[in-house]
Amino acid sequence: MMIKDALIRRCVRLLAAVHELHKQGYQDLAVFCPMAPSDTSWRCRLLPFDQVQWNGEMWSELPGDGAESARHSSGKLGNEYFGWTDARSDTARELAEKIKLRFPRLMARTRCLNYEYSGWFTYMLGEAEHGHLPVMGAEYREEYREKLATTTPGVWIKGPPLFSMVRVRGKTYYFTSPPHLKPGDDWHEAYKSHVMMWQNNEDERGCPLPQYPVDTADTFELGAYWEGAIYYIQTILGFTDIRRFLSAMEVGSERSDQWDVFFLVWNSEGQLIYLIAFLLRRLLAEPHKYALEPSERDYWEQRLRSLESQTHHHWVQSGRPPNPYYGGGNPLHLGLILTGLSKDNLVNA
């Protein structure tokens, strides 16, 4: 499709060049594209994927790490991409080759498979080819995490799958794609290394946390996510007994950094009710392991009925199948074989 507006056409050519580089395996190459303060020109900076983030209010750039500065402005440069006078008549593929040759550190930094971002980019490019250039970080426009403004007033597109950041008690965390399973991975243990990384690793961006994998229908992916919660409860929070964990939740146990991380990861969208309902069901189903007084059993049964009602409502409202609580004898798809501790611990409970 031929875009009539020459300015838009030149901007789309730059986005198409990035798409060409994605096809060559540079899928961590991301764009940050705000409007100028005057709101008259569209800007585009090429960055590594992990240097563009949603900070809770708007899209923004994170500090760099030695890659070249790759900035373009439609107002000042037009078709002189990045100030290059020899790129005016380049095709997208030719421009991609110049970018690859002239920004070697950026290319080395972004050579990585990132299907989620490159897939979104393909979708976004299709919208841009209809004249709707993405706009991030505009000073005079409202910004949202789930939808992105464009240069066409009133036209929005789906937001990119970039980092979301949150600060809790002075500490910064950022959300990224969960550790998607690869062929041969044991889904029961997929989150183990990530749990330990959250405890021991923090760089200038903060601590990485996986997003709730709501956009997958993969049972094993969801199962791995909830197995990670069980592993965290045992190894980090230190609970090996369902009743003690649930009681700590009920009384509002002191909220340490470890509790902060637990709630950030497994209650980011209110989904923790699924896990609590699951554990309650296990608690009540095994009286030989958990001896409960009649009044205590009655209390937990009422809590379970209430939570089952909430999980159904949460599922209907969010519209995000599959529901991880309802689903047969093993409703959270938990293998419950994580640590091999004593037979009385959570994994065997």
Side-chain angles (χ1 to χ4, degrees):
M1 181 185 68
M2 184 65 176
I3 302 173
K4 295 181 180 180
D5 188 307
L7 185 62
I8 296 290
R9 185 168 65 249
R10 292 164 182 166
C11 295
V12 169
R13 189 179 306 154
L14 174 55
L15 294 175
V18 174
H19 180 59
E20 290 294 327
L21 292 167
H22 284 174
K23 291 191 290 185
Q24 296 178 36
Y26 299 94
Q27 293 180 0
D28 260 2
L29 183 61
V31 296
F32 179 70
C33 35
M35 295 297 291
S38 62
D39 212 34
T40 58
S41 62
W42 182 80
R43 295 174 173 176
C44 183
R45 183 181 179 189
L46 308 187
L47 289 166
F49 174 79
D50 58 8
Q51 287 180 213
V52 187
Q53 54 103 9
W54 173 258
N55 66 13
E57 296 180 355
M58 64 184 297
W59 296 102
S60 61
E61 303 174 58
L62 289 171
D65 57 357
E68 302 90 348
S69 178
R71 298 179 183 271
H72 174 75
S73 172
S74 66
K76 291 184 178 180
L77 302 176
N79 61 350
E80 293 184 1
Y81 301 102
F82 311 106
W84 303 335
T85 57
D86 63 345
R88 293 171 182 163
S89 59
D90 279 4
T91 64
R93 188 165 296 176
E94 291 167 341
L95 179 57
E97 289 305 308
K98 283 189 172 70
I99 291 172
K100 188 162 61 172
L101 289 172
R102 296 176 184 181
F103 298 131
R105 295 193 302 277
L106 179 62
M107 292 296 98
R109 177 77 166 73
T110 59
R111 187 167 183 79
C112 179
L113 295 181
N114 187 336
Y115 300 128
E116 189 174 11
Y117 183 74
S118 60
W120 171 85
F121 198 94
T122 301
Y123 148 77
M124 178 274 291
L125 181 59
E127 295 295 322
E129 288 173 346
H130 285 84
H132 314 313
L133 297 175
V135 174
M136 310 166 81
E139 294 187 9
Y140 306 109
R141 300 174 191 237
E142 289 185 293
E143 297 234 278
Y144 303 94
R145 175 69 181 86
E146 299 298 328
K147 61 181 183 178
L148 195 64
T150 71
T151 51
T152 305
V155 175
W156 298 78
I157 62 175
K158 179 179 173 62
L162 294 165
F163 292 141
S164 296
M165 305 195 77
V166 62
R167 288 187 65 80
V168 178
R169 288 199 254 177
K171 194 167 186 177
T172 302
Y173 303 91
Y174 65 88
F175 289 90
T176 185
S177 298
H180 294 294
L181 300 176
K182 300 181 290 297
D185 280 357
D186 182 350
W187 62 275
H188 300 103
E189 301 189 1
Y191 276 72
K192 276 189 176 183
S193 60
H194 292 266
V195 167
M196 302 317 296
M197 181 174 66
W198 305 330
Q199 292 295 299
N200 302 322
N201 178 59
E202 182 172 7
D203 58 25
E204 64 181 7
R205 295 184 299 273
C207 293
L209 303 176
Q211 291 175 335
Y212 181 29
V214 294
D215 294 325
T216 181
D218 189 325
T219 297
F220 293 109
E221 189 85 41
L222 285 165
Y225 173 82
W226 291 110
E227 287 277 9
I230 298 293
Y231 180 67
Y232 193 96
I233 289 168
Q234 292 183 98
T235 60
I236 304 302
L237 296 181
F239 292 97
T240 58
D241 179 282
I242 289 178
R243 180 166 45 184
R244 289 183 179 179
F245 171 70
L246 293 175
S247 295
M249 295 283 296
E250 290 287 311
V251 301
S253 176
E254 290 187 16
R255 296 303 184 235
S256 61
D257 289 349
Q258 288 82 6
W259 276 104
D260 289 342
V261 169
F262 178 73
F263 285 110
L264 284 173
V265 175
W266 285 287
N267 202 35
S268 58
E269 300 184 34
Q271 70 270 27
L272 187 59
I273 57 176
Y274 296 131
L275 182 61
I276 296 173
F278 172 82
L279 293 175
L280 270 174
R281 180 186 284 184
R282 298 303 297 264
L283 174 70
L284 294 167
E286 301 189 13
H288 64 285
K289 189 174 296 183
Y290 296 101
L292 302 175
E293 295 293 331
S295 59
E296 187 180 10
R297 171 169 289 276
D298 183 62
Y299 171 76
W300 290 124
E301 286 177 345
Q302 290 184 43
R303 287 284 291 124
L304 178 59
R305 286 194 293 271
S306 174
L307 282 171
E308 286 182 335
S309 175
Q310 290 178 50
T311 58
H312 179 72
H313 178 74
H314 185 266
W315 176 44
V316 171
Q317 290 297 110
S318 64
R320 287 169 169 168
N323 182 310
Y325 180 70
Y326 294 100
N330 194 3
L332 275 184
H333 310 295
L334 286 167
L336 299 181
I337 58 170
L338 279 171
T339 63
L341 300 178
S342 70
K343 65 180 181 180
D344 293 321
N345 65 26
L346 273 174
V347 294
N348 294 312

